[in-house]
Amino acid sequence: MSLPAAKAAPAMPFASQPHGGGILLRRPSSPPVPAAALRLGPLFWPWEKVKVGPLSVSPMGFGTWAWGNQLLWGYQESMDTELQDCFNLALKNGINLFDTADSYGTGKLNGQSEMLLGKFISEGSIKSPDDVVIATKFAAYPWRLTSGQFVNACKSSLDRLQIDRLGIGQLHWSTANYAPLQERALWDGLVDMYDKGLVRAVGVSNYGPKQLLKIHGYLASRGVPLSTAQVQFSLLSMGDEQMELKTVCDSLGVRVIAYSPLGLGMLTGKYDASNLPNGPRSVLFRQILPGLESLLSCLKSIADRKGKTMSQVAINWCICKGAIPIPGVKTVRHVEDNLGALGWRLNADEISELEAAAMECPKKMVQNIFQTA
């Protein structure tokens, strides 16, 4: 089964432009886009939605890995007010998909990302819980050995999120590489939380194409559809395995959710060898950034031609490949910039130009250690 077709963009689209602290929507002065151009798709606006199993979600979501992570992202509780502003601004502009995990948050802040989302949801002006689609991931901790323990993990997440049902419940990683006997219990846990109505859809994360086919078949035998597969996917992570996974997902009707679409920030143009981020990321950046001159130059050239930022071009590439990107946000500026990735599309030549430049990079993003074949 193929993925649902993208909804056509309106004949008189709206352009999203930064305006002070928010987003100003205005009608452009240019004539309507020809119908032939619209068929090139996918061309999405923030308020349009795509189908993910039984859900309707925005064509881009936001990731909340940084919300509570002091080690990698420098989280401080003083950031919470702006994080709430990020959440509210995203909702105001049509973004309804937020990705989190029960393991997000370092040390005593474990679960902080879910708790902050729960706080923001409860204090917001949301008319229905279904207006926000929360996709959380359950860690395959070694002490989670039964389906019941996995269901309990889901219930704990619901408590932190202050909601009765999740949009998407996801297995954070596969244990096939190191504890294959645990894997079936985790799969059964996904089935049970779906059957109990605790989640509207189920998904996986860090699964390769072979293991994805196995869990898809198993869930189907239990009457549970697999709706999403989350994987590191960007211009720095577009190897044979990622593209094979995308092909398999397309054939099964499973939506790919692309995490780290900006390569942890390497594709933003913000950093170079003399300007590295603080913390552990600097080690990785020092290894990879020196070989990205061609790709970053290509991103900047296309961004300048289209009046976009490098981040917007990199995110739009993911959308053009049929994935739902979930860039992380920590500031209102991040939200405003990322919203500019919607409402337009790269053309075929630009996509080819970017991918050719990406293939020339001597080093790619390090893959998640839990990624399976």
Side-chain angles (χ1 to χ4, degrees):
M1 183 175 68
S2 60
L3 289 174
K7 179 182 175 182
M12 284 295 291
F14 288 82
S16 177
Q17 298 290 336
H19 180 69
I23 298 295
L24 173 66
L25 299 177
R26 62 176 176 82
R27 289 186 181 275
S29 58
S30 56
V33 180
L38 296 181
R39 288 196 296 269
L40 287 174
L43 177 64
F44 294 114
W45 303 98
W47 53 84
E48 290 192 283
K49 300 294 181 281
V50 295
K51 294 298 292 181
V52 176
L55 306 168
S56 294
V57 307
S58 46
M60 174 182 68
F62 286 141
T64 62
W65 180 18
W67 298 14
N69 189 303
Q70 295 175 318
L71 178 65
L72 196 63
W73 299 106
Y75 167 80
Q76 299 295 330
E77 291 185 10
S78 59
M79 299 176 177
D80 290 356
T81 298
E82 184 161 19
L83 293 179
Q84 188 162 14
D85 290 341
C86 290
F87 178 81
N88 292 334
L89 180 61
L91 283 179
K92 183 179 179 181
N93 283 276
I95 302 298
N96 72 340
L97 176 63
F98 296 86
D99 181 79
T100 183
D102 65 358
S103 61
Y104 283 179
T106 50
K108 65 179 182 179
L109 294 174
N110 192 52
Q112 181 77 350
S113 174
E114 289 183 336
M115 286 188 282
L116 285 172
L117 278 170
K119 177 178 182 288
F120 301 161
I121 291 171
S122 67
E123 294 179 357
S125 56
I126 298 167
K127 296 179 181 179
S128 165
D130 290 340
D131 289 345
V132 178
V133 177
I134 301 297
T136 200
K137 300 181 289 294
F138 310 111
Y141 292 134
W143 55 86
R144 289 177 175 169
L145 297 173
T146 68
S147 61
Q149 289 171 318
F150 218 48
V151 170
N152 287 339
C154 178
K155 291 178 178 178
S156 295
S157 287
L158 290 172
D159 288 342
R160 286 188 290 271
L161 289 160
Q162 303 180 51
I163 57 178
D164 296 323
R165 183 171 59 167
L166 283 168
I168 310 172
Q170 305 163 98
L171 176 54
H172 204 156
W173 65 83
S174 168
T175 64
N177 289 341
Y178 62 93
L181 295 180
Q182 184 185 6
E183 185 93 339
R184 181 59 62 88
L186 301 179
W187 293 0
D188 286 338
L190 287 178
V191 172
D192 289 346
M193 62 182 72
Y194 181 85
D195 287 343
K196 292 176 184 295
L198 301 177
V199 301
R200 296 185 64 189
V202 301
V204 294
S205 180
N206 298 308
Y207 268 60
K210 293 179 182 178
Q211 200 66 9
L212 183 88
L213 285 168
K214 291 179 183 178
I215 188 172
H216 179 274
Y218 181 74
L219 292 178
S221 73
R222 299 289 304 276
V224 177
L226 180 65
S227 294
T228 61
Q230 189 173 145
V231 67
Q232 182 176 193
F233 188 64
S234 73
L235 285 163
L236 286 178
S237 186
M238 47 166 276
D240 292 342
E241 188 168 279
Q242 282 84 6
M243 302 316 293
E244 182 183 354
L245 176 70
K246 181 65 175 60
T247 299
V248 170
C249 285
D250 288 349
S251 70
L252 298 174
V254 175
R255 278 283 185 183
V256 170
I257 297 178
Y259 73 77
S260 295
L262 297 175
L264 298 181
M266 273 186 270
L267 297 177
T268 64
K270 177 180 177 181
Y271 302 101
D272 56 38
S274 62
N275 177 33
L276 299 173
N278 296 323
R281 280 192 300 159
S282 63
V283 178
L284 184 65
F285 277 48
R286 193 173 288 111
Q287 295 173 350
I288 299 177
L289 264 179
L292 300 187
E293 292 90 345
S294 177
L295 175 57
L296 294 179
S297 175
C298 182
L299 274 169
K300 188 175 188 310
S301 175
I302 292 174
D304 289 346
R305 292 201 305 265
K306 303 187 87 69
K308 298 293 178 180
T309 67
M310 293 168 66
S311 296
Q312 290 165 358
V313 172
I315 293 171
N316 191 268
W317 175 86
C318 289
I319 295 172
C320 287
K321 303 302 284 189
I324 299 176
I326 49 169
V329 290
K330 292 195 299 179
T331 66
V332 167
R333 181 179 57 80
H334 288 160
V335 175
E336 292 176 338
D337 188 35
N338 292 341
L339 285 170
L342 299 173
W344 60 281
R345 79 178 304 277
L346 296 161
N347 63 42
D349 289 341
E350 290 164 339
I351 292 171
S352 296
E353 187 180 348
L354 285 167
E355 292 176 2
M359 293 297 290
E360 293 177 5
C361 297
K363 292 185 179 180
K364 308 294 191 275
M365 278 295 294
V366 176
Q367 296 304 302
N368 193 299
I369 59 173
F370 293 114
Q371 179 73 32
T372 62

